[in-house]
Every structure is written in C-alpha cells, then in structure tokens.
Amino acid sequence: MRKITYAEAIREALIEEMRRDPSVILYGEDVANFGGIFRVSAGLKDMFGDERVFDSPISENALVGGGVGAALTGLRPVVELQFADFLFTAGDEVVLKAGMWRYGHGGAYAIPLVVRCPSGATGVGPEHGQCPEAFFMHAPGLKIVSPSNPADAKGLLKSAIRDNNPVLYFEHKLLYATRGEVPEGEDVLVPLGKAAIAREGDDLTLVAISAMVPKALKAAKRLAAEGHSVEVIDPRSLVPFDRETIIESVKKTGKIVVAEESYKTLGVGAEIGAMLMEQALEYLDRPLRRVAIPDVPIPTAAVLEAFVLPNEEKIYQACRELLA
Amino acid sequence: MRKITYAEAIREALIEEMRRDPSVILYGEDVANFGGIFRVSAGLKDMFGDERVFDSPISENALVGGGVGAALTGLRPVVELQFADFLFTAGDEVVLKAGMWRYGHGGAYAIPLVVRCPSGATGVGPEHGQCPEAFFMHAPGLKIVSPSNPADAKGLLKSAIRDNNPVLYFEHKLLYATRGEVPEGEDVLVPLGKAAIAREGDDLTLVAISAMVPKALKAAKRLAAEGHSVEVIDPRSLVPFDRETIIESVKKTGKIVVAEESYKTLGVGAEIGAMLMEQALEYLDRPLRRVAIPDVPIPTAAVLEAFVLPNEEKIYQACRELLA
Amino acid sequence: MDKKLKLEIYRKMLLSRRLEERIAELIKAGQAGGFMHPGVGQEALQVAAIAALRPDDYLLYAHRGVAYWVARGIPIEKILCDLAGKEGGTNHGKGGVMRVVYPQLGVLGESGTLGGCFPIAAGAGLSIRVKGEDKVVLCFFGDGTSNRGTFHEALNLCAVRKLPVVFLCENNGWAVSTPTEKSTAVKDIAMRAAGYNVPGKTVDGNDPEAVYDAVKEAVDRARQGNGPSLLEGKTYRLWGHWVGDPEDYRSREEVEKHWRSDPLPRFEEKLAGEKILTEKIKAEFEAEAMATIDRAVEFSRSQPHPKPESALDDVFA
Amino acid sequence: MDKKLKLEIYRKMLLSRRLEERIAELIKAGQAGGFMHPGVGQEALQVAAIAALRPDDYLLYAHRGVAYWVARGIPIEKILCDLAGKEGGTNHGKGGVMRVVYPQLGVLGESGTLGGCFPIAAGAGLSIRVKGEDKVVLCFFGDGTSNRGTFHEALNLCAVRKLPVVFLCENNGWAVSTPTEKSTAVKDIAMRAAGYNVPGKTVDGNDPEAVYDAVKEAVDRARQGNGPSLLEGKTYRLWGHWVGDPEDYRSREEVEKHWRSDPLPRFEEKLAGEKILTEKIKAEFEAEAMATIDRAVEFSRSQPHPKPESALDDVFA
Ligand SMILES: Cc1ncc(C[n+]2csc(CCOP(=O)(O)OP(=O)(O)O)c2C)c(N)n1
Ligand SMILES: Cc1ncc(C[n+]2csc(CCOP(=O)(O)OP(=O)(O)O)c2C)c(N)n1
Ligand SMILES: [Mg+2]
Ligand SMILES: [Mg+2]
C-alpha cells in the first residue's frame, strides 16, 4: 500500500470531504494564503476558492463560536486553531457553546463542527505544547479524537467531518512527518469510538495515546526481546471512549500502564484507572502505572522538556516494574 | 460557639483580610453597589472605599487577567465571577495566565490571586450550575478549594488570600444559607491541602466534595442505623490534594465511594480511583463507586436536574451496594 | 411604516407586556417554576426590530423578556411551557425559558454566557454567505454585554468578511446593579462601530418607528451584501433585573421618570392620535391578549413534566 | 528630543539590529537552540517608545524581536541565555526567549497567547492606581493581535477606571501570512480608540522622534491620572515571521520597497544631517555592539543548561 505522511493524510481527508460535500468549509489563522503554519492545508484555497477556505483574524472566540453558529445553520465547518493550547482562549465557545448548545436547546439543532488542534510539546513552551485532551474529555457534548498514525488521521478526520456533533481533532505536531500506509478510497473511514489494538500481547496492557503510541510500540518490542508479551492499545478516540477493549485486555493481562502526554493528575490514565477499579478490580494483579507529565507546565529548554515528557524509556521502565 | 451562615463566613473572611492587608482588593460584576448577586460582599464598598471594592464591566477575561496583572505587581486581588461556569469564558486567563505565568517566567513573580466561583446546580441550567473543579484540578499551577461548611469557608478563604499562588475558591450556592459554628479570631485559618474527616468510620470510606458533604453525612447516619460504620472525608482542598488521608482511610476500610457534583468521566473520583489503584490496590476489597453527574450538561427543569444530580439517596445506595 | 404594521407592532407589544405581567404574578406565587429577566419597557425595541425581518432570517435574542418570541410568532403556550420546564415547550425542560428555540423561524436560541451570541451570529452570517443565500441575522444584546471580548471579535470578523449580521444593542441604562456609565467607556454603544468601519446608529429605542426604520435599513444593507451594522436603541429597564430584584441600587425617582416614557402608552397615544388605534381595537387587543395568555397558562399547567430519564437525551445528535 | 537621547536611541537600534542578525546566524547554524520572531525593521518604534518610560514603569513587550529588552537595558547575555534555554538568563530555561522577564525594571514578561498581555496590563494599571503610585504601564501588541477580544475588554476597563496604561500597536502590515487589511476592519488600529473614548493616535513608526513624542505625551497623560491611550506606529516586518519563514505569501517587491524605509539608515542619515552622528561615533557604536554581542555569545555558550530536575520547580511560590 502507498505510504504518505500524517500531514498528507489530514490534507487528503480535507480535500475528499470538501469535494464530497459543499457544506464543508475550512478556516483559521493562515490556513488559506499560507496553507496553515504547519502547511497541512497547502493548496486548498486554490482548489475550493476563498469562500470555503479562508484566513481569519486572530480571534479564537469568534473562530470557534463562529463554527458553532455556522454548524447550527447548515454548514460543516472545520476550524483550525494554530495550537491546541488556544482551546483555552476559546473556553466558553468550546465547552459551553459547542458542547452544550444542542442539549440546552432540547436537541433542536445538531452541531457538525470539527476543531483541528495541533498538539504536543516541541520545545515551544507551556502555551504552545500541550496535549489538553483530558480537560475536554471531562466536558459533556464534545467528541475527542487523537490519531497516532496516518491511516487513522485520515479515517478519523473523515468520520469527524461527517459526524453530526462537535469533534475536537488533536493532531500531534511531532507526528506530521511520520509516514505510514494509508488505504485509498473516499469512503474508507475509521469509526469514532473504536480503539485499535496496535500490538497484541498477554502479559500487560499498555494504553498509549497519540504520539505515545509509536513510543509504546518500541518499548513493547524491547520488552518482547526480554520475553514479555505486551498488548498496546491505542484508544484513538477519547469520546466516545472504547472502554470495552481496555477492560477485556486487562482481564487477560491483569496489568496496566497508561502513557500519555497529559498532566498526570486527572489525565486520561485517571479515568482508565477508575474505570478498571469499577469494572475489573478482581482482575488487577498489579498497581496502575501512569506515565504522564508530572503536573507542571511544559518548560521550553530541551533538557527540561525531556525531563517532564513521557518517552520510550519511561514507558519501558513502568512496564518493567509491573512485569518484575 | 456562635453560628453564622456560609455566606456570612465568606464575608467575614473578606472583611478581616481586607482590614489586615491593604493590598487585598475585591472586584467583579455587581460586587460593590449591590454587594454581589448573592449579596456576599454587601457593605464592603462602604467599609473599604471604591478603589478597593468596585463593580467591573462584564468582561471575564479582563477580570481574571487583570487579577493576574494586579497580583504580579503587588496586590492580592479577590475577583468574583458571578458563576463558576464563567471560568471557561476566561479560560486562557485562568489556565494559561494564572496557572503558568510564574512557571514560564522561571519563578520571577508570584501570583497571589483568588478567584471566587459560585458553583452548583440550582435550577438555572447548563451554563450557570456547574461544579467545574475537576477541569482545573488537571491544570498545573492552580490551587483549588471547595469548602463544605461555614468554618471551612472562612478559614480556607483566609488561607487562600494569604497564599502566594492563584487559588480558585468554589463557593457552592446551595450552601450560602447553611449555618454552622465558626470560631472567632482573625488568625484562625484552615490550611490548604488538609482534608477533614467529617465522620469517622471503619467499614467504608466516603469522600464527598462541597455540597455533597452534608448529603454524605446524612447517608452515613442512615447507614449507621443499619450497623455500618462509614468514614466521611471532605478533601476541602483539591489542589494541593491530601492524598494521604484518603489512602489511610481506605487501607482501613477497603471500600470507597466518591460523591461529587462533577461530571463522572474525569471527575475528582477518577483521580481518587487511579491513585488508590496505584498506591493501595492490595487493600481494595470492593470496586470503586462514583456518584456524580452522568456526563450530560445540567438540565434546567427540576425533574431533570434531580435525575442527573447526585443526592443523599444515590450516595446511600452506592454505599449499600459495597457494604452488601 | 404602514398602518397595518403599526397596529401589529402595538398588538405584540401589548401582548408581551400582559404576558410578562402574568409571568411575574406566577413567579411571585411560586407557580411558574422558572426564572425570568423581565423586559417590561423594552418591548418597542424588541418588537419593532423583529418586524423588519423575513421569516427565513435568523434571530439571536437577548435574555430580557418575552417580546422577542411574541414578535417572532412563537406560540405563547410554548414559552410558558419552557418557563415551567414542561413538555410542550421548545426545549423539553433542558434549557428553561432562557433557551427558547424555534428552528422553523430561524430562532437559534440563547447563550447562557452573555456575549456568547456574537460569534454564533457571525457564524450564521458565514453560513448565509457560503451558501449564497440572502438571509440576514439579527443579534440583540445589552449595553453591559457590549463589554465582552466576543463583541469585538465578532464585529471585526463580520466586517472583514462583510457578513449579513445586524447587531442591535438594547441600551437600558443598567446591567444588573451597574449603571452603563460605570462599566462602559462610551456614551453610545453605536460609537463602537468606528472600530470596525461599519455603520453605527443610535435611535430612541422606545419609538417603534425609529427602531423599525433603522433596523430595516441595516437589514436591507446586509441583505444586499454590504455587510454588518451596529445599532443601538436607548431604552430603560422599568422592572428589576429579575422578578424579585430588591432594586436597592437605584432610586425610585429615576425609575419613575422612565415610566413616563413607557413605550406602550406612548405608542398607544401616537396611534390614537393618528386615528389608527381606536378604543375598540384596543379593547379587542386587550381581550385577545388575556384570552391567549389564559389559554396558554392552562395549556402549560396541563402539560406533563418531561420524563426524568430524558435528562440523558440530546447530548449528542 | 535632545541630542543625547537621539544618540542613545540610535545606539540601541543599532545594537538590536546587530543582535538579531547574529541570532539569525546562530539559529540558521543550529547553534542558538531556540526560536525567535525577528523584529528587524521595527526597532525605531520599540526603542523610542521605551525611551519614554521611567525605570520604575511597567513594560509588556510583544513577541517581535529583541529591541524591547535592549531598550529597557536588560543585559544582552541574559537574552542569549534565554534564547538558548541556559542558566544565566532571566527564566532558567522555563520560558525561552519569548518570556524574558526582569522585575528590577518592571518587565513583566510575555503571554504565549497573543492578546494575553492586555488584561495583564490593565491589572498592572489597577495596582498602580490602588497603591496611589504614579507609574505607567506600556503595552506593545501587533496589528493582528488587535483583533483579540481581550483588547476590547482591557481597553474598556482601563478607560472606565482611568488606568495609567498606554497601548501601543506595532502595525507592521502582516500577521504571519495574513495582511492587515484581510483580518482587520479598520485601516488604522488607533481608530479603535473611539470605542473607548480614549485618545487614539497613529504615527510613523519608523520615525523615532514621532514615536517618542506620541508615547511621551500618552505616558505623561497616564501618569497625571488622565487614563489610557491607544497609539499606533506604522512600520513593516522586514524579515519573515520567524527565522526560516519561506515568505512565499508576499512579493519580493513589496518587501524591497519597505527596505527603502528601513528605520536604521533613515535615522542614521537624519542624525548625520543634524551633525549629531559622526562617522567616528558610528564606528564606535558598531564596534561596541559587536564586542558586546561577542561577549554575550561567549557567555551564553559557557553557561550550563539548567538541571533537568529543576523542571519541577517554580510551579508554586
Ligand atoms: C459572561 C457572563 N457574565 C455575566 C453574566 C451574568 N449576567 C446575566 S444578565 C447580566 C447583566 C447584563 O446586562 P446588559 O447586557 O446590559 O443586559 P440587561 O440585563 O440590561 O438587559 C449579567 C451580568 C452572564 N450571564 N454571562
Ligand atoms: C491567541 C493566539 N493566537 C494565535 C497565535 C499564533 N501567532 C503567533 S504570532 C502571530 C501573528 C501575530 O500578528 P501581529 O499581532 O500582527 O504581530 P506581528 O507578528 O506582526 O508582530 C500568530 C497568529 C498566538 N500565539 N496566540
Ligand atoms: Mg442593560
Ligand atoms: Mg503584525
């Protein structure tokens, strides 16, 4: 199968969905003229015209709230924020408008909105490097996806655009350049709410999110060489969250490590831990291990950033500890 | 000891701290002329003048961000938001400015800011009734307190004002009118980060937050009549979080129920569950039970609101189930 | 404005007034089950502005009163059901009377956070523009709300993309207990139009004809693709911020002074002077209003509460 | 502006220019370890404005270039250490060069989200006011940033409470790849002053004297308790948005045209014409700049990285 990058996969999904459905539009800061600061939407303005692909003012509230208004009235807007961190700048529009307008109005409207959020620490400090999925996983009414590879990036974005609900789509900046096989075909979708078993195994369940998936797979490989069979689960979508797949795996392995680029306290691993304690307590034979950022903002300098970020080694060590 | 209401306790704390320290100021929408829409700050403008107590425009970003700027430059501002929900409106200012300015600037400044956030569902719907503590518990750099009674309301607010860090102070609207004993004395503080054991017990640990504490105590009383000894823990402060007290209690009881007015997924109960799974797995003899809002926005109509809110009966049932 | 339209505006102002009076009674008697910010005194502005819309235009009303809905033609009984959180309303108890919604007439709903409406209005304008329609969005907001950052972002976005949105400020002199001049740096909210290079106009908000003309002009302009406008009607909040507001923050004299420019008797006199409104018509309107309200109250009383477990519905589509 | 001040402004403009040229070299050679938005072409505006401050005033600079810090007197070696995330800088690797901070000179730091500075500036103004000081806050921001809602909220708050804050827009024609007229509804950002009833003034941002005079006037006004002002300097971003920007979104001709009004040679010629700047002084300034920069680069190279575990410090005070 052909291999393309994660960024190309996102771009392909946008192009196909915009071709398929004239109600899909794309806007955000620098997405048209420049093709996005990560150049993911390069060329789209020329393909679809500047009514459907346009540059916006630096106005995150108006961007996201405008997306809600456009979605309420029949469009399927895809809004790009330059950095996922700017979700906070549009906090009301994301949590209370996108997440609750439908509910508060008794289901009178649907909100088919996608907010594209480039996430992940890349040496740019506390306000441009977060993976803030867990904040929004707590908010009712929002769907959340975090693809870890090009095929999922494409298939999940297409599903997100076709979904009738607001979806926060987290694209990890460090994954943009990664290559992978991506099936062709305009109706190849990846459903929201279905985890992927990235590697099968019997001894330990390792849940990894977004850019942690490749690192988890490497750690699993190292552990395999040492005789441990690790099952790597990539939830792919955090809302809806495929609890079943994780619970089933843990029933088999009895051990769980969660690797994520969130802050540890109330990161995704907290929900996984609590869920297992509710639904699979009798199967757990070792304590939970969460590999995450130790509740500090993300520092800028490389040595500091490396200290707080989860990585292959930390994942490996956490697994080792449980397998010992 | 004299009994005063929760609202009076807050007001007393404000008065005492403003008397004690001229750098303490109070502002927000309608706090001066009207004394706050819940009348908590009635009369303060007359006591301290309209430079130190003033009404602000409807500009939540400027209120909270202004509080950060004032705190950076030597004041100790207390900012009132009319509803805790408006923390989202000031998302950037709360999470990235208050929470991260100090860290991002290498500790050059302290941010002694208090944001008062009236929380809790009272029939006013999805955007005026939330208890959003858990969202912000995930954010590094913010302290969080949620007093459940007048004495704590006073003592914690005084500590929050004297603390050199940003503190989100959640005052539950349904507690304003509750009365309780409050010791006199301007230096009677309740430290941030120390849980209270609201009732001792041996059979089950029941952690309850804010307005859930009185309900949990009632449930515990009912259970006591049935021969079950329930320990009720009120964390009081969620950041810093007194993990020790909960873990110790669970080591004794082996069972835990968490009651909170958060959304269930990634509510405070998730962190408690995960923490116990990390640190006390071998002591847990029953699954975790979380009594919380089932991941829907808060509806307005009384029958609907009652259906989603945790209450004494739901807490009682969750405990019963584990004690069976 | 022709005679028929004048009478229609008067009729709806009257109906709105009577409805709010009834709602206040119900609330005070503990029989409404809901919460309300009354709009008494602002009906001229609300009804006349909405009269300038086409049925397929979009409306984002503000949080003050019932006249928007009455003007738009939403059945009164639905409003009362929403107030009481009953079935038979527009949002099935989910949002209360603060979130009346009516897609058939482009009524998009309400943001619980003030100023949440501005970006939504801009987005609806974007839709119209992308789909090549000739609809218009009318977005109401209060003087206090004009200080939200979303006002600025949305006005600018609409202006740069020439979106068909008319922003209409109801400047009633107060935001809860805070007088406009204490919270707002300009005397006329419409002066803010200069920051976005769009037309700005202030009119007497208690004069339905002035309001209608100004809104009509702005709506036409938007419909023709010439972009947004910022309008302001000066009016006054004759009642408290909510039913039960102690109002100890403003003087009785001030309020009484403004009762003397209550738009309802003022318009009544004008139409009587123009021989458009006769005593007979007036009596008919009053009777009709009372009958409609009585029926609606009855209807709402008879309606069931939503099923408790329906609280779990409508999170996702 | 007296002769000494003119020379001092020129000297700092030159030093800033040379420093950015060196930083660009270091970044291109992979030796800087950091990320930078260069301010080449905007030094006149930045240096002259800051010259109007007192040492105890507060400064919120924007994200573009080093001249703010050079102007304020922050040692160059500290800037380079922050760029490289080394010890010896101002923030110990926590915030990089985007968060240079210097409490001794009222330099409060920077918001990573654009527009985050506006409320902070208002808050600093509030402090001054409550403490009864006569300090002033100077807050820089870009044309694109003027579209954030926080601009509106902060300007209004400062205006209603007459806070001593001077808002100064560096209108350089672009926000990343978006020309100002595509994102911003007004030609002159200073026109937005009308929305807050405060003085608004646009000056040639490449003319240090015009900038200094305008800022001085606004600063004096603020210091005397007469409230905020909104100023704008027209300038141009001569380099890309960041070092390495392909700049394929704008024409070479446009950029070249603007190089012809590069404020550095322009001011040089003016001062030469006024016989203030001699060849000798110029050569001395150049030599001094180079020596300072060389020493600073050396210093920064010799500095250690922060201890990895120090990443856990500074979350709470
Ligand atoms: C973001 C936000 N802040 C505060 C409130 C609380 N609040 C509701 S109505 C109101 C006053 C609004 O004043 P104005 O905009 O002038 O409208 P009016 O009530 O006078 O019609 C306030 C502060 C809110 N709902 N949302
Ligand atoms: C809230 C927010 N949105 C977007 C960005 C990304 N960003 C950084 S600089 C920039 C352009 C700023 O333009 P302008 O204000 O004109 O300043 P200039 O770069 O031209 O100096 C953008 C969009 C950001 N940092 N913060
Ligand atoms: Mg008002
Ligand atoms: Mg610019």
Side-chain angles (χ1 to χ4, degrees), chain B residues 11-29:
Chain B
R11 186 165 171 277
E12 250 188 36
L14 290 170
I15 292 172
E16 288 177 11
E17 294 307 303
M18 291 189 78
R19 282 223 180 95
R20 183 176 168 271
D21 182 348
S23 68
V24 179
I25 63 168
L26 171 72
Y27 64 85
E29 294 150 25

Side-chain angles (χ1 to χ4, degrees), chain A residues 2-6 8 149-150 175-182:
Chain A
R2 79 207 169 110
K3 286 193 169 185
I4 60 175
T5 66
Y6 186 90
E8 284 160 358
N149 61 61
L175 294 175
Y176 279 139
T178 58
R179 290 189 165 272
E181 294 191 338
V182 177

Side-chain angles (χ1 to χ4, degrees), chain D residues 143-144 172 174-175:
Chain D
D143 48 288
N172 63 6
W174 290 88

